[in-house]
């Protein structure tokens, strides 16, 4: 039975497309109180007085909560491993509000109409402070965003809130300054990447109720149910054992749901009223009051000899974490740790920087998680270096990039928490990815550009990228397999399917190991009471980490089946084999079917339930690799860019499900293209968010993207389940740099600030003339 490297349909696909109730809002109780949140109209203020009396007299209002009504325990909302590598700087509700959209008060009512009316009756007096709105000057601001005495970090990370610094870091390999001074060719540039909104189809949603034992049950569209349980318990000062978190189907997350948002508030209302409650964010609330990508300023210097041998890289980053420090350190670290090892032939590397608090909407986890920002700068400056050398940019990369069997000192120095592991690369097909991508884009005949007429020109550009597969020695996956009568299995996993199809992938791995069809594996995932622990869906970890846990568990189950089958055949375990249908003697024709074994296990004498359980913690993080190629057409008269073609060739090891892997890469590419050309979180001169609806925030549509081609290299990662590495994030990384490089090759203007808009191109063309 071959179930791996096979495009099995998603096991939840039919139910979702036929509208079966599956999402958080579908599963909320009909009598749940409707929660609405009064949000701050100010960037930065202290609540001097809040009057809720008029609102409380409104018929149908069940509960109004302010900072006076909830525990004051400081936490981080970031769903990360413990101790969290994010500063603890958030209360459930606080007397200070730190961005427009921050929570002021919570209303729970019988209907949405009543709740909205009650919000209008709440009277608040604020003391308004000068806001910190520029992350480049935040360190020297007269005002600190966080001065609460409870604020702290759980380990040294350069946390200095008095200077608006959420974290700092610096590392060196060799002496980059000295090496750069000896280089024949040096390129030094500054790049900016913007904040980007997630725009998941399903908004943030959560509902809560108390069960008959009085335990708090939370249903949430979350990426990290187990971390959520721990953080909510800490915030309310209650035992983890009193909380159950259930993740249903999730309509997209992309990192935005790797945190606690409305879950604090439904928990607070239900604990106060003893009644079920729900909070479904509006699209405006998602834009203004959840997460965006960290905006960054990246200063990068590279140097080489005349032959193009890269000698040194120096990267310094300044990052805007917004009002709270969730994921501040880890996103910042990944901007280097998942980019700089691409070029491992260098003698010296320097990386440093700071993450700053501002009074902007908080930044947090987002697909690509820093790597997309760092990749834009690194892969753009590599093209600039190639031009100075008079070398084809592909040749420059091939000359300096990491190859299979090699390593980088950065692996050992850097990790997502600031400490890495030594790691050799056992699977890397970057050379093939580049070769195949060059063929598919027809680089030989299109590079650097083709003039269509006096006004229209086409150009091609490329970039390479790497990601990771989980966080070594931190991320854990686990699984339980239960054999049932008739010979089918329940697979219980804490792994969180957020629309990626991971339930299907893990079922395929279990089926392959057992030798049965995938349809014989019934999956239950992400219920903190019923499924085993899992770190959650982040860091591209599920297939690699949870997949290995499932494979180990299925191997254990196979051994248990063989042991019980051998007993029925009066043989020893090593004298039989289970092939998915029968437990057979290796020497004779004696055999017993799995169904017959189950009948004897569950209906006859000597009954016995077979249950297997195993866990897995990764000891390395094998990177997937990608080469991305873009062809653009630019109108020199207007600056308008059309993306004609995008080619992505990916090494993600074995594709457990090729169709789902392709969809993941295509989805990542579209988000990367959006970041490169369309998407931009914009603020007014006074700092108010302008792009707080889908009428004002532009994302690419099918009409904006002509052709996308995705292929996979023939690769095998020895440490992964059936040779698999991750694939969830790698697709998003290359478009910003590849498109910027293509536009430069077409026009001669280099845009260093994302997104690349017609206005920026036209202004640059006029300046060049």
């Amino acid at each position: 039975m071959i179930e791996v490297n096979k495009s099995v349909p998603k096991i939840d696909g039919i139910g979702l497309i036929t509208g079966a109730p599956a999402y958080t809002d579908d599963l909320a109780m009909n009598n749940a109180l409707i929660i609405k949140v009064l949000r701050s109209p100010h960037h930065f203020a202290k609540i001097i007085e809040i009057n809720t009396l008029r609102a409380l007299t409104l018929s149908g209002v069940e509960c109004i909560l302010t900072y006076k009504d909830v525990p004051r325990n400081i936490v981080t909302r970031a769903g990360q491993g413990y101790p969290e590598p994010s500063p603890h700087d958030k209360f459930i509700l606080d007397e200070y509000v730190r961005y427009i959209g921050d929570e002021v008060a919570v209303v729970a009512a019988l209907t949405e109409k009543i709740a909205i009316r009650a919000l209008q009756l709440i009277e608040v007096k604020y003391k308004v402070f000068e806001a910190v709105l520029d992350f480049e000057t935040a360190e020297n601001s007269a005002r600190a965003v966080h001065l609460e005495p409870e604020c702290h970090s759980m380990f040294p990370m350069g946390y200095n809130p008095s200077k608006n610094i959420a974290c700092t870091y610096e590392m060196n390999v060799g002496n980059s300054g000295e090496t750069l001074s000896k280089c024949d060719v040096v390129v030094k540039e500054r790049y900016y990447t913007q904040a980007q909104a997630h725009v998941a189809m399903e908004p943030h949603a959560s509902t809560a109720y108390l069960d008959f034992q009085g335990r708090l049950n939370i249903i949430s569209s979350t990426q990290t149910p187990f971390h959520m349980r721990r953080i909510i318990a800490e915030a309310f000062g209650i035992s983890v054992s009193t909380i159950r978190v259930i993740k249903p189907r999730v309509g997209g997350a992309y990192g935005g749901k790797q945190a606690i948002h409305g879950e604090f508030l439904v928990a607070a209302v239900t604990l106060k009223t003893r009644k079920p409650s729900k909070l479904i964010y509006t699209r405006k609330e998602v834009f203004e009051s959840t997460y965006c990508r960290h905006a960054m300023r990246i200063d990068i210097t590279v140097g080489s000899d005349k032959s193009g041998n890269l000698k040194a890289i120096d990267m310094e980053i300044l990052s805007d974490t917004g009002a709270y420090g969730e994921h501040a350190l880890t996103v910042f670290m990944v901007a280097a740790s998942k980019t700089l090892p691409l070029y491992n032939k260098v003698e010296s590397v320097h990386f440093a920087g700071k993450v700053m608090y501002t009074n902007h909407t908080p930044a947090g986890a987002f697909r690509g998680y820093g790597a997309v920002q760092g990749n834009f700068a690194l892969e753009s400056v590599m093209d600039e270096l190639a031009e100075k050398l008079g070398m084809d940019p592909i040749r420059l990369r091939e000359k300096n990039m990491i190859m299979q069997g090699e390593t980088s000192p950065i692996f050992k120095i850097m990790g997502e928490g600031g400490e890495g592991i030594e790691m050799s690369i056992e699977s890397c097909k970057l050379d093939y990815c580049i070769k195949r991508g060059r063929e598919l884009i027809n680089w030989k005949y299109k590079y650097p550009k083709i003039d269509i007429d006096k006004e229209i020109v086409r150009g091609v550009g490329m970039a390479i990228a790497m990601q990771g597969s989980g966080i070594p020695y931190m991320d854990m996956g686990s699984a339980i397999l239960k054999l049932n009568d008739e010979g089918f299995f329940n697979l219980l996993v804490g792994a969180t399917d957020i629309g990626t199809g991971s339930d299907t992938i893990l079922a395929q791995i279990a089926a392959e190991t057992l030798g049965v069809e995938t349809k014989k594996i019934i999956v239950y995932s992400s219920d903190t009471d019923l499924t085993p622990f899992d770190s959650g869906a982040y860091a591209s970890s599920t297939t690699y980490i949870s997949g290995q846990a499932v494979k180990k568990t299925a191997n254990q189950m196979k051994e248990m089946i063989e042991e019980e089958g051998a007993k029925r055949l009066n043989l020893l375990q090593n004298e039989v084999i289970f092939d998915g249908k029968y437990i057979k003697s290796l020497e004779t024709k004696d055999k017993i079917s799995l169904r017959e074994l189950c009948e004897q296990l569950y209906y006859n004498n000597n009954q016995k339930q077979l249950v297997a359980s195993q866990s897995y913690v990764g000891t390395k993080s094998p990177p997937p690799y990608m080469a991305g190629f873009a062809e653009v057409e630019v109108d020199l008269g207007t600056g308008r860019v059309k993306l004609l073609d995008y080619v992505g060739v990916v090494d993600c090891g074995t594709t457990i499900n090729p169709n789902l892997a392709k969809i993941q890469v295509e989805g990542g590419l579209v988000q990367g293209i959006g970041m490169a050309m369309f998407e931009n979180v914009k603020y007014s001169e006074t700092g108010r968010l302008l792009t707080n609806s889908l009428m004002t925030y532009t994302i690419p549509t099918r009409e904006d993207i002509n052709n996308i081609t995705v292929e996979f290299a023939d690769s095998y990662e020895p440490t992964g389940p059936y040779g698999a590495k991750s694939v969830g994030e790698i697709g998003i990384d290359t478009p910003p740099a590849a498109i910027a490089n293509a536009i430069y090759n077409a026009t001669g203007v280099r845009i260093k600030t994302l997104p690349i808009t017609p206005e920026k191109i036209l202004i640059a063309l006029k300046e060049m003339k």
Side-chain angles (χ1 to χ4, degrees):
M1 190 70 64
I2 298 175
E3 296 295 306
V4 158
N5 202 14
K6 180 179 178 181
S7 293
V8 173
K10 283 181 67 175
I11 61 177
D12 57 354
I14 296 298
L16 295 181
I17 65 173
T18 56
Y23 297 97
T24 298
D25 198 16
D26 299 326
L27 303 178
M29 292 184 178
N30 292 333
N31 62 339
L33 299 177
I34 305 302
I35 294 176
K36 287 294 178 181
V37 181
L38 182 66
R39 297 189 179 277
S40 170
H42 304 293
H43 298 97
F44 197 12
K46 182 179 181 180
I47 300 169
I48 302 301
E49 183 180 332
I50 183 164
N51 188 337
T52 62
L53 292 178
R54 289 177 63 206
L56 281 169
T57 62
L58 191 64
S59 178
V61 172
E62 294 280 318
C63 171
I64 297 179
L65 301 176
T66 71
Y67 70 91
K68 299 176 183 179
D69 304 303
V70 293
R72 186 174 171 85
N73 296 316
I74 200 161
V75 295
T76 175
R77 296 181 301 178
Q80 298 176 288
Y82 187 86
E84 298 104 338
S86 292
H88 284 218
D89 58 11
K90 185 73 172 73
F91 300 101
I92 300 168
L93 293 168
D94 193 12
E95 61 182 322
Y96 287 89
V97 288
R98 295 179 175 82
Y99 67 97
I100 294 177
D102 209 349
E103 299 97 342
V104 175
V106 178
V107 172
L110 297 180
T111 69
E112 183 176 19
K113 184 177 181 180
I114 296 171
I116 293 172
R117 175 61 181 148
L119 291 182
Q120 297 166 347
L121 297 176
I122 299 174
E123 299 170 352
V124 187
K125 291 182 180 179
Y126 298 95
K127 181 179 180 180
V128 179
F129 305 123
E130 181 182 351
V132 180
L133 298 175
D134 183 355
F135 75 105
E136 293 185 271
T137 61
E139 183 175 358
N140 298 315
S141 173
R143 175 67 61 179
V145 177
H146 286 277
L147 280 179
E148 313 90 292
E150 299 97 331
C151 278
H152 66 278
S153 60
M154 299 198 76
F155 53 84
M157 52 190 283
Y159 186 55
N160 189 350
S162 65
K163 291 183 175 290
N164 288 320
I165 297 173
C167 66
T168 63
Y169 179 80
E170 183 170 14
M171 77 89 183
N172 287 281
V173 176
N175 187 321
S176 61
E178 184 177 307
T179 304
L180 284 167
S181 68
K182 299 176 183 177
C183 288
D184 298 319
V185 182
V186 175
V187 179
K188 183 177 183 179
E189 295 290 358
R190 171 171 285 183
Y191 296 90
Y192 287 89
T193 62
Q194 79 280 38
Q196 182 186 19
H198 296 80
V199 199
M201 186 174 294
E202 179 201 24
H204 293 66
S206 55
T207 180
Y209 64 93
L210 298 178
D211 61 25
F212 69 95
Q213 295 177 317
R215 297 176 71 246
L216 177 65
N217 286 246
I218 299 172
I219 303 173
S220 169
S221 58
T222 177
Q223 295 176 235
T224 54
F226 287 92
H227 294 326
M228 177 177 288
R229 180 179 63 174
R230 181 190 74 247
I231 294 168
I232 288 175
E234 185 178 359
F236 284 91
I238 59 179
S239 171
V240 168
S241 66
T242 65
I243 302 172
R244 176 187 182 188
V245 177
I246 303 165
K247 178 215 68 77
R249 296 295 95 183
V250 175
Y254 316 122
K257 296 173 183 175
Q258 192 191 333
I260 290 84
H261 294 288
E263 294 84 2
F264 281 143
L265 307 184
V266 295
V269 167
T270 293
L271 289 172
K272 177 75 171 181
T273 65
R274 315 301 288 179
K275 295 180 179 181
S277 65
K278 74 172 181 178
L279 173 54
I280 312 299
Y281 278 50
T282 65
R283 186 60 62 178
K284 183 173 184 285
E285 284 180 306
V286 174
F287 278 114
E288 291 186 346
S289 305
T290 60
Y291 268 177
C292 62
R293 186 184 296 283
H294 291 77
M296 291 186 182
R297 186 190 76 194
I298 306 168
D299 292 295
I300 186 165
T301 306
V302 296
S304 76
D305 62 20
K306 294 178 182 178
S307 300
N309 296 300
L310 203 60
K311 298 296 184 180
I313 303 174
D314 188 300
M315 179 185 281
E316 293 195 18
I317 292 178
L318 193 69
S319 176
D320 183 358
T321 192
Y324 299 99
E326 294 105 349
H327 304 272
L329 174 66
T330 47
V331 169
F332 163 69
M333 296 289 288
V334 169
S337 66
K338 297 292 192 293
T339 57
L340 297 180
L342 275 169
Y343 300 107
N344 65 328
K345 312 298 192 296
V346 294
E347 296 175 7
S348 304
V349 180
H350 173 250
F351 171 68
K354 300 174 182 177
V355 183
M356 309 305 302
Y357 282 118
T358 64
N359 293 114
H360 285 148
T361 296
F366 196 139
R367 190 182 204 166
Y369 203 82
V372 64
Q373 294 101 307
N375 188 273
F376 169 60
L378 179 61
E379 287 301 279
S380 294
V381 83
M382 285 297 289
D383 259 44
E384 294 196 57
L385 178 62
E387 183 182 36
K388 275 198 170 186
L389 289 165
M391 183 180 291
D392 186 309
I394 291 180
R395 177 62 189 136
L396 178 64
R397 288 172 171 83
E398 290 176 327
K399 193 178 185 73
N400 293 283
M401 68 190 187
I402 196 166
M403 300 289 285
Q404 189 162 298
E406 297 180 348
T407 188
S408 165
I410 295 171
F411 290 139
K412 186 175 182 179
I413 297 171
M414 295 184 71
E416 292 196 24
E419 185 175 334
I421 58 148
E422 199 161 5
M423 181 172 66
S424 62
I425 300 302
E426 297 182 69
S427 62
C428 177
K429 300 297 182 184
L430 252 181
D431 50 349
Y432 171 82
C433 294
I434 290 175
K435 178 183 176 182
R436 180 58 179 156
R438 178 167 46 194
E439 293 171 354
L440 290 170
I441 205 74
N442 206 2
W443 183 271
K444 181 178 179 181
Y445 298 101
K446 295 178 179 178
Y447 174 78
K449 68 174 184 174
I450 298 172
D451 292 317
I452 304 302
D453 57 38
K454 290 183 179 180
E455 292 293 319
I456 304 298
V457 62
R458 293 178 179 176
V460 291
M462 63 88 63
I464 60 175
M466 60 175 283
Q467 266 291 340
S469 300
I471 307 173
Y473 296 103
M474 289 183 64
D475 286 349
M476 186 190 92
S478 48
I480 295 171
L481 262 173
K482 178 168 73 78
L483 174 63
N484 300 301
D485 44 354
E486 288 194 3
F488 72 97
F489 301 84
N490 291 129
L491 174 62
L492 283 67
V493 289
T496 311
D497 192 328
I498 52 176
T500 56
S502 65
D503 282 358
T504 306
I505 296 293
L506 299 178
Q508 287 181 257
I509 291 172
E512 176 76 14
T513 308
L514 291 166
V516 303
E517 295 178 276
T518 299
K519 66 181 182 182
K520 293 282 189 181
I521 310 294
I522 312 300
V523 182
Y524 291 90
S525 61
S526 307
D527 181 326
T528 58
D529 269 8
L530 303 180
T531 60
F533 185 89
D534 191 280
S535 301
Y538 60 86
S540 296
S541 62
T542 303
T543 296
Y544 183 76
I545 301 292
S546 303
Q548 282 288 45
V550 168
K551 187 169 182 282
K552 287 177 65 178
T553 304
N555 274 321
Q556 182 186 16
M557 174 58 74
K558 186 176 181 180
E559 291 176 1
M560 295 169 75
I561 290 170
E562 289 173 342
E563 179 183 2
E564 294 301 322
K567 291 178 182 177
R568 272 72 182 175
L569 297 174
N570 295 314
L571 296 170
L572 299 176
Q573 183 178 343
N574 62 5
E575 295 176 332
V576 301
I577 188 170
F578 174 52
D579 66 4
K581 291 185 178 181
Y582 295 95
I583 302 94
K584 301 188 294 188
S585 169
L586 293 170
E587 300 293 336
T588 69
K589 294 183 179 181
D590 293 339
K591 64 181 181 181
I592 181 174
S593 71
L594 180 60
R595 182 167 184 152
E596 290 173 320
L597 175 63
C598 290
E599 288 176 356
Q600 294 187 27
L601 284 171
Y602 303 136
Y603 298 122
N604 296 331
N605 295 331
N606 301 316
Q607 291 165 312
K608 184 178 184 180
Q609 173 70 64
L610 297 193
V611 178
S613 180
Q614 290 289 319
S615 302
Y616 181 79
V617 177
T619 58
K620 62 190 303 185
S621 180
Y625 296 95
M626 177 178 175
F629 293 78
E631 181 181 6
V632 300
E633 182 177 275
V634 185
D635 185 326
L636 300 176
T638 66
R640 183 184 179 192
V641 179
K642 290 182 181 178
L643 180 63
L644 301 179
D645 198 5
Y646 203 96
V647 170
V649 185
V650 177
D651 164 18
C652 62
T654 301
T655 51
I656 301 295
N657 188 312
N659 190 48
L660 293 183
K662 183 179 180 182
I663 291 169
Q664 283 295 296
V665 176
E666 288 175 343
L669 286 174
V670 171
Q671 286 182 306
I673 291 165
M675 183 174 177
M677 301 174 65
F678 299 95
E679 300 182 46
N680 192 14
V681 172
K682 295 181 182 179
Y683 292 90
S684 70
E685 290 184 0
T686 59
R688 183 172 292 275
L689 183 66
L690 299 174
T691 50
N692 60 3
S693 76
L694 289 173
M695 295 294 290
T696 56
Y697 187 81
T698 307
I699 60 175
T701 68
R702 188 66 188 88
E703 292 183 354
D704 298 310
I705 301 169
N706 288 282
N707 186 55
I708 290 179
T709 301
V710 172
E711 288 189 3
F712 296 97
D714 183 8
S715 178
Y716 187 92
E717 170 55 45
T719 67
Y722 296 105
K725 297 186 282 188
S726 73
V727 76
E729 293 182 275
I730 188 67
I732 200 173
D733 290 341
T734 59
I739 291 170
N741 291 337
I743 290 170
Y744 177 81
N745 290 333
T747 65
V749 299
R750 181 164 293 282
I751 309 300
K752 301 171 187 175
T753 303
L754 295 179
I756 304 171
T757 62
E759 293 84 356
K760 291 178 183 178
I761 294 171
L762 197 57
I763 290 169
L765 285 169
K766 289 181 178 179
E767 289 177 349
M768 185 173 67
K769 288 180 180 179

